[in-house]
Amino acid sequence: VRMEWQPDEQGLQQVLQLLKDSQSPNTVTQRAVQQKLEQLNQFPDFNNYLIFVLTRLKTEDEPTRSLSGLILKNNVKAHYQNFPSAVADFIKQECLNNIGDPSPLIRATIGILITTIASKGELQTWPELLPQLCNLLNSEDYNTCEGSFGALQKICEDSSELLDSDALNRPLNIMIPKFLQFFKHCSPKIRSHAIACVNQFIIGRAQALMDNIDTFIESLFALAADEDSEVRKNVCRALVMLLEVRIDRLIPHMHSIIQYMLQRTQDPDENVALEACEFWLTLAEQPICKEVLSGHLVQLIPILVNGMKYSEIDIILLKGDVEEDEAVPDSEQDIKPRFHKSRTVTLQHEGGEGEEGEDIEEDDDDDDDTLSDWNLRKCSAAALDVLANVFRDELLPHLLPLLKGLLFHLDWVIKESGILVLGAIAEGCMQGMVPYLPELIPHLIQCLCDKKALVRSIACWTLSRYAHWVVSQPPDSYLKPLMTELLKRILDSNKKVQEAACSAFATLEEEACTELVPYLSYILDTLVFAFGKYQHKNLLILYDAIGTLADSVGHHLNQPEYIQKLMPPLIAKWNELKDEDKDLFPLLECLSSVATALQSGFLPYCEPVYQRCVTLVQKTLAQAMMYNQHPDQYEAPDKDFMIVALDLLSGLAEGLGGHVEQLVARSNIMTLLFQCMQDTMPEVRQSSFALLGDLTKACFLHVKPCIAEFMPILGLNLNPEFISVCNNATWAIGEISMQMAITIGRLGFVCPQEVAPQLQHFIRPWCTSLRNIRDNEEKDSAFRGICVMIGVNPAGVVQDFIFFCDAVASWVNPKDDLRDMFYKILHGFKDQVGEENWQQFSEQFPPLLKERLSACYGV
């Protein structure tokens, strides 16, 4: 018989002292504790002391014992593989022997320790764990049963996939029927554990659960009216998940499940109500939603609407009684990380030529982001939104009678919820709402001046959801009053209102576009004034509103008085920010839109902006190289700096056109671009191909020497798995081919004798490249060259003459002398082959081409 391990008294005192010290708030003491821990971890049996304090030292206070277990848990996480087997065995045995400790805190700590050991790949090497825990469930002693269930629930949460695999011999075949028996246990805590354990296996459709699915559903129904809120919450959660994976088993009972969920969505315990409310969100995604739910809307709609009120606790957390806080600086953890969307080239086919565009996903976030915790209000609003999209205007008879009472209510909390309702249904019920909007929109605009900040902020959001309709009406009716009030809200004294107003204004800008041009001066005055007023978080949203304005009004922004207002504050911020500051991202995005809109108006500012972008790319590449060579010594760079800089360079190239040439000439951007195009990160490649295309259009002479190196890289990126990278690479190849075609045409004009003999080799791709450009000088000079070459070598074009005809037809109005050249070539070819052959030849033409040629050139 092995001697059982016993602690040394002095060692035990040392460990207890350490545990006491580690509860001290003093940072110096804390640092000493960390050092001491690292020393003690050199001793293999230190972990024996820790488990001993947790499980045996009943004289100590519970927080100290629990802390001992949590330190042990961290050690297990960090170096369990180095524990001597005697130590590992002692810990495992102590855990199983003490899972029924009288203290709930100690039981929970042991449960955490067990699942941590289990998830270190130990489920395989601790074969007695699951059978023993399952056996302990049968114990007469409540503590033992509850402790074992607590541990099992944690294991089910952490290792659900492993438990349902062959690796362990499918323990679920025993465990799931066992758990189901406990649904009827007399203790609510244990009923709750049992459901929570089974719930872990619904989404993964574990076979053992699918085999017992009907028993499971019946057992859930039996618990429907349980007096314990935790049990009710787990029942609701189970039904929501079953709706996703086994709706077939629920359909026969759907009527009573819906009745049950209607009750639970009004549960006095908000956690239960929230779980139940998820049911409507999930049901709305199911094809049977309309059929099973339409008879219940009359009950459901008022319940959801009622759930959309702020709770008292929300109002406290949102400081709903604090009306003015604009002078209070933001705490940094309030500021969510932003994700930069890399530039994507979208082709607008009407004009023929590729245009730049951003593809931004709609983010219809509900307004109260500060409570980013999901709550009943958000869930109810989201459910109403998706149901409005399912039922469309059929929802309105149930809603409109309620809405009137809410929107004009004297209690601000109720009025606020009515405005949220109106915004939530905007997308789905737009058609049916139109007759009411002439009365509602002015009321909402009035709510923008409400004395409660939370009413003002929700009114901003809801109005933005109806922006499309507002813009479709005569501007003086709604657009002008809405814009005037929103601009005042941008300068509100409450930060939440500023944020909501700025976001709403950006949506309005996207809808209104050039309708805003008459008001530009007033808009810019407001946005520039906000610069001096805003705290950190809202500044980031303000950049977005300015960038969207530039995208929306385009070249109309290029007026000296507007530039004079807008550029000084932007450049001041630009100079304030260091190269490492992430606030550069939204500012660079904003400047990219502004540069594209201002075109030549941006020239006075372009040099420092261009230089800094090149520097950002260079720094990021250098840091990436250091990191790749010595990952242990250097941090990985944040490549967003490089992506945003490449996108701003694209904006400059697009806005400044040929003026960007001197900047490119004086920098090493082409070398840097060559590296960016080969970066491992798809977004970097995506942005670098967009820039390559824009530089090709703006200053081809700098791209030309690099083509032999660049083309193979572009070819490697035509992989539709990375769709945006692939699109941008394709676009860049097209732009380069077009420039090469123009160059060939011009060469042929100057020295036709040298180039014309090659005509048959390039005439087809030349025509297909140039048919897509709008009429312009470059196209004109290229076509003159081709006509001269055809004069020298007419035989070179015979095989591909249909392509030449198509390219000629792509001209809308060529200059007279060029039109004559086309006329002579077309008629010359027709006379040469004879009327009959020409008829046969022109039969192959698409109808549009046939019409154009006969109308313009009489062939």
Side-chain angles (χ1 to χ4, degrees):
V1 186
R2 243 192 350 184
M3 278 292 292
E4 164 132 307
W5 181 85
Q6 285 297 331
D8 163 71
E9 191 49 43
Q10 206 184 346
L12 190 56
Q13 286 316 315
Q14 242 191 325
V15 171
L16 285 171
Q17 189 53 52
L18 180 74
L19 292 168
K20 291 273 185 289
D21 289 345
S22 69
Q23 295 171 61
S24 144
N26 180 331
T27 41
V28 183
T29 317
Q30 284 296 339
R31 256 197 306 262
V33 167
Q34 280 316 108
Q35 282 174 319
K36 187 80 179 141
L37 270 177
E38 278 158 31
Q39 286 168 4
L40 288 172
N41 265 320
Q42 306 308 309
F43 297 100
D45 67 351
F46 173 50
N47 294 301
N48 283 1
Y49 283 90
L50 291 173
I51 190 79
F52 187 87
V53 174
L54 173 67
T55 58
R56 303 274 188 100
L57 217 53
K58 315 269 184 187
T59 49
E60 275 304 320
D61 62 291
E62 287 177 15
T64 302
R65 290 172 59 199
S66 171
L67 184 64
S68 185
L70 293 175
I71 292 176
L72 175 54
K73 176 208 70 162
N74 291 336
N75 283 350
V76 167
K77 259 199 162 121
H79 12 251
Y80 186 72
Q81 64 285 355
N82 306 334
F83 283 21
S85 59
V87 173
D89 289 344
F90 182 61
I91 293 171
K92 289 179 189 173
Q93 165 205 325
E94 283 299 303
C95 284
L96 284 173
N97 290 347
N98 292 279
I99 194 73
D101 193 281
S103 149
L105 177 64
I106 301 301
R107 293 201 295 275
T109 310
I110 294 176
I112 293 172
L113 188 50
I114 288 178
T115 190
T116 310
I117 296 173
S119 61
K120 292 301 279 187
E122 276 290 301
L123 269 175
Q124 280 101 320
T125 52
W126 192 358
E128 67 274 24
L129 173 63
L130 293 172
Q132 272 198 279
L133 286 176
C134 285
N135 271 342
L136 291 170
L137 296 181
N138 302 334
S139 165
E140 294 293 308
D141 173 45
Y142 166 81
N143 292 337
T144 305
C145 178
E146 196 279 325
S148 311
F149 242 133
L152 280 164
Q153 184 181 331
K154 294 184 180 84
I155 294 170
C156 292
E157 284 166 11
D158 291 347
S159 312
S160 60
E161 282 175 25
L162 181 61
L163 290 170
D164 187 34
S165 67
D166 282 327
L168 298 174
N169 229 338
R170 306 227 163 244
L172 291 185
N173 295 339
I174 297 160
M175 287 163 70
I176 288 198
K178 179 108 191 166
F179 294 154
L180 290 171
Q181 291 168 5
F182 282 88
F183 278 38
K184 302 186 185 60
H185 196 277
C186 60
S187 150
K189 186 99 197 257
I190 285 172
R191 295 197 294 276
S192 181
H193 278 312
I195 310 168
C197 283
V198 181
N199 282 358
Q200 298 305 321
F201 303 102
I202 299 176
I203 296 293
R205 302 168 193 257
Q207 193 52 52
L209 178 55
M210 295 302 128
D211 295 343
N212 289 284
I213 196 80
D214 292 329
T215 319
F216 178 42
I217 291 171
E218 281 160 32
S219 311
L220 286 172
F221 289 168
L223 292 175
D226 201 282
E227 80 281 359
D228 183 81
S229 61
E230 199 60 25
V231 173
R232 296 197 303 271
K233 187 179 94 178
N234 282 328
V235 170
C236 290
R237 185 173 290 173
L239 289 169
V240 172
M241 291 190 286
L242 286 167
L243 195 57
E244 272 184 61
V245 298
R246 284 310 300 265
I247 195 164
D248 56 313
R249 310 308 301 150
L250 297 186
I251 287 174
H253 316 283
M254 198 49 96
H255 178 77
S256 37
I257 293 176
I258 287 174
Q259 286 303 330
Y260 175 65
M261 287 300 190
L262 287 167
Q263 270 180 301
R264 288 287 73 85
T265 308
Q266 307 171 78
D267 199 283
D269 182 315
E270 174 161 343
N271 294 319
V272 179
L274 178 56
E275 285 296 337
C277 194
E278 297 277 355
F279 181 82
W280 314 114
L281 265 179
T282 306
L283 184 57
E285 291 165 7
Q286 305 298 328
I288 62 152
C289 176
K290 217 166 171 169
E291 168 195 342
V292 296
L293 202 51
S294 47
H296 301 278
L297 288 179
V298 63
Q299 293 163 282
L300 174 60
I301 299 303
I303 293 172
L304 290 178
V305 167
N306 193 41
M308 287 164 74
K309 293 199 297 277
Y310 275 124
S311 67
E312 287 170 36
I313 187 104
D314 291 341
I315 294 170
I316 295 166
L317 288 172
L318 276 172
K319 309 189 175 62
D321 50 347
V322 176
E323 298 300 327
E324 295 196 18
D325 62 357
E326 60 174 343
V328 182
D330 296 328
S331 73
E332 290 306 305
Q333 64 265 33
D334 287 347
I335 299 175
K336 293 218 185 79
R338 306 174 63 270
F339 297 104
H340 173 72
K341 287 255 192 325
S342 310
R343 202 167 171 102
T344 313
V345 181
T346 50
L347 299 179
Q348 293 178 340
H349 292 293
E350 337 57 72
E353 191 179 356
E355 291 291 338
E356 283 280 312
E358 295 287 283
D359 52 356
I360 299 294
E361 268 75 86
E362 281 302 308
D363 54 329
D364 278 335
D365 267 348
D366 185 3
D367 62 308
D368 34 13
D369 259 350
T370 33
L371 283 188
S372 58
D373 307 322
W374 191 234
N375 55 23
L376 185 59
R377 166 190 165 90
K378 289 189 167 183
C379 190
S380 305
L384 190 61
D385 185 348
V386 290
L387 290 170
N389 278 298
V390 172
F391 286 95
R392 302 277 160 189
D393 297 343
E394 289 170 43
L395 221 55
L396 292 178
H398 306 289
L399 257 177
L400 290 171
L402 296 172
L403 257 178
K404 199 131 192 144
L406 299 171
L407 286 171
F408 297 92
H409 203 284
L410 293 173
D411 178 349
W412 75 266
V413 176
I414 296 176
K415 176 168 153 184
E416 194 276 346
S417 71
I419 302 173
L420 173 59
V421 168
L422 201 53
I425 61 170
E427 197 185 344
C429 304
M430 185 55 94
Q431 281 331 100
M433 286 307 295
V434 165
Y436 306 97
L437 293 179
E439 183 191 349
L440 284 173
I441 297 295
H443 176 61
L444 287 171
I445 292 175
Q446 253 182 313
C447 293
L448 287 174
C449 320
D450 194 277
K451 60 180 193 300
K452 294 303 289 183
L454 290 172
V455 173
R456 299 198 298 275
S457 63
I458 196 70
C460 291
W461 178 73
T462 293
L463 280 161
S464 75
R465 302 267 288 176
Y466 290 95
H468 186 75
W469 181 83
V470 167
V471 170
S472 71
Q473 305 298 303
D476 284 351
S477 322
Y478 308 103
L479 177 60
K480 207 170 163 183
L482 170 57
M483 195 182 59
T484 312
E485 279 312 311
L486 263 184
L487 288 171
K488 287 184 194 156
R489 291 294 67 82
I490 285 178
L491 302 179
D492 200 277
S493 57
N494 179 280
K495 291 195 288 193
K496 196 170 161 44
V497 179
Q498 295 171 358
E499 175 184 4
C502 246
S503 303
F505 195 71
T507 306
L508 186 64
E509 289 169 339
E510 284 171 358
E511 292 290 349
C513 295
T514 50
E515 297 274 341
L516 297 178
V517 172
Y519 317 109
L520 263 174
S521 181
Y522 182 43
I523 293 171
L524 286 169
D525 283 342
T526 304
L527 296 178
V528 167
F529 192 77
F531 253 109
K533 188 175 169 78
Y534 276 15
Q535 297 294 342
H536 188 178
K537 180 181 175 190
N538 287 349
L539 257 182
L540 307 183
I541 299 165
L542 182 63
Y543 293 140
D544 180 54
I546 292 173
T548 309
L549 180 67
D551 295 338
S552 303
V553 300
H555 65 90
H556 297 284
L557 199 57
N558 188 6
Q559 298 290 336
E561 64 151 327
Y562 301 154
I563 297 175
Q564 222 18 67
K565 287 179 181 189
L566 183 58
M567 289 309 296
L570 283 175
I571 294 295
K573 283 287 170 207
W574 169 263
N575 292 333
E576 235 172 76
L577 293 174
K578 298 193 169 54
D579 280 351
E580 297 72 49
D581 194 327
K582 291 198 172 157
D583 284 5
L584 274 175
F585 299 164
L587 179 55
L588 285 158
E589 282 173 42
C590 169
L591 279 171
S592 175
S593 297
V594 170
T596 308
L598 290 185
Q599 299 174 348
S600 60
F602 198 78
L603 271 174
Y605 309 96
C606 66
E607 181 120 20
V609 172
Y610 179 90
Q611 286 309 341
R612 185 167 193 181
C613 288
V614 173
T615 306
L616 283 169
V617 173
Q618 200 158 5
K619 278 187 173 176
T620 312
L621 286 170
Q623 203 183 335
M625 211 161 97
M626 311 277 271
Y627 172 74
N628 290 335
Q629 288 165 358
H630 310 283
D632 43 340
Q633 292 168 35
Y634 295 97
E635 296 242 318
D638 181 346
K639 289 190 179 172
D640 275 353
F641 282 105
M642 172 155 76
I643 296 168
V644 185
L646 290 166
D647 288 348
L648 177 45
L649 288 169
S650 280
L652 286 175
E654 195 185 346
L656 299 175
H659 294 297
V660 86
E661 189 275 320
Q662 298 111 315
L663 295 171
V664 175
R666 294 200 296 271
S667 71
N668 60 341
I669 187 66
M670 299 316 290
T671 319
L672 298 173
L673 200 50
F674 182 62
Q675 290 173 268
C676 293
M677 289 168 61
Q678 300 174 76
D679 198 90
T680 49
M681 189 176 178
E683 290 79 2
V684 175
R685 301 200 300 276
Q686 178 181 331
S687 292
S688 60
F689 298 148
L691 176 55
L692 178 60
D694 282 317
L695 289 175
T696 303
K697 287 165 77 168
C699 53
F700 185 57
L701 81 102
H702 292 298
V703 176
K704 211 162 125 195
C706 314
I707 288 174
E709 287 185 290
F710 283 6
M711 274 306 198
I713 300 173
L714 287 164
L716 288 174
N717 279 279
L718 301 179
N719 169 6
E721 242 179 281
F722 298 108
I723 187 72
S724 302
V725 180
C726 177
N727 281 344
N728 287 7
T730 311
W731 179 72
I733 291 171
E735 289 297 328
I736 290 173
S737 316
M738 213 148 64
Q739 294 295 340
M740 313 257 294
I742 290 168
T743 307
I744 292 172
R746 288 173 170 172
L747 269 176
F749 187 69
V750 184
C751 39
Q753 301 300 339
E754 281 77 5
V755 187
Q758 304 294 322
L759 201 51
Q760 75 220 51
H761 298 305
F762 64 76
I763 186 70
R764 182 191 283 200
W766 189 92
C767 291
T768 49
S769 284
L770 286 188
R771 69 183 295 281
N772 293 324
I773 326 186
R774 301 193 184 103
D775 298 6
N776 61 25
E777 286 302 321
E778 295 186 312
K779 186 170 175 174
D780 179 276
S781 58
F783 270 86
R784 286 173 194 277
I786 221 79
C787 291
V788 173
M789 288 189 274
I790 291 173
V792 173
N793 175 16
V797 75
V798 172
Q799 286 301 304
D800 293 309
F801 198 67
I802 187 167
F803 289 93
F804 178 72
C805 295
D806 177 54
V808 166
S810 77
W811 277 91
V812 184
N813 36 11
K815 293 183 182 157
D816 291 345
D817 59 336
L818 182 60
R819 184 191 294 271
D820 289 343
M821 294 167 99
F822 292 159
Y823 186 92
K824 286 199 180 80
I825 292 174
L826 291 170
H827 280 273
F829 188 84
K830 184 177 171 178
D831 298 343
Q832 186 109 37
V833 298
E835 187 64 47
E836 198 180 328
N837 284 338
W838 177 260
Q839 279 315 1
Q840 268 181 322
F841 173 65
S842 61
E843 277 310 301
Q844 319 161 27
F845 289 179
L848 198 69
L849 176 58
K850 217 176 192 162
E851 274 169 45
R852 269 198 122 150
L853 289 177
S854 90
C856 303
Y857 302 98
V859 292

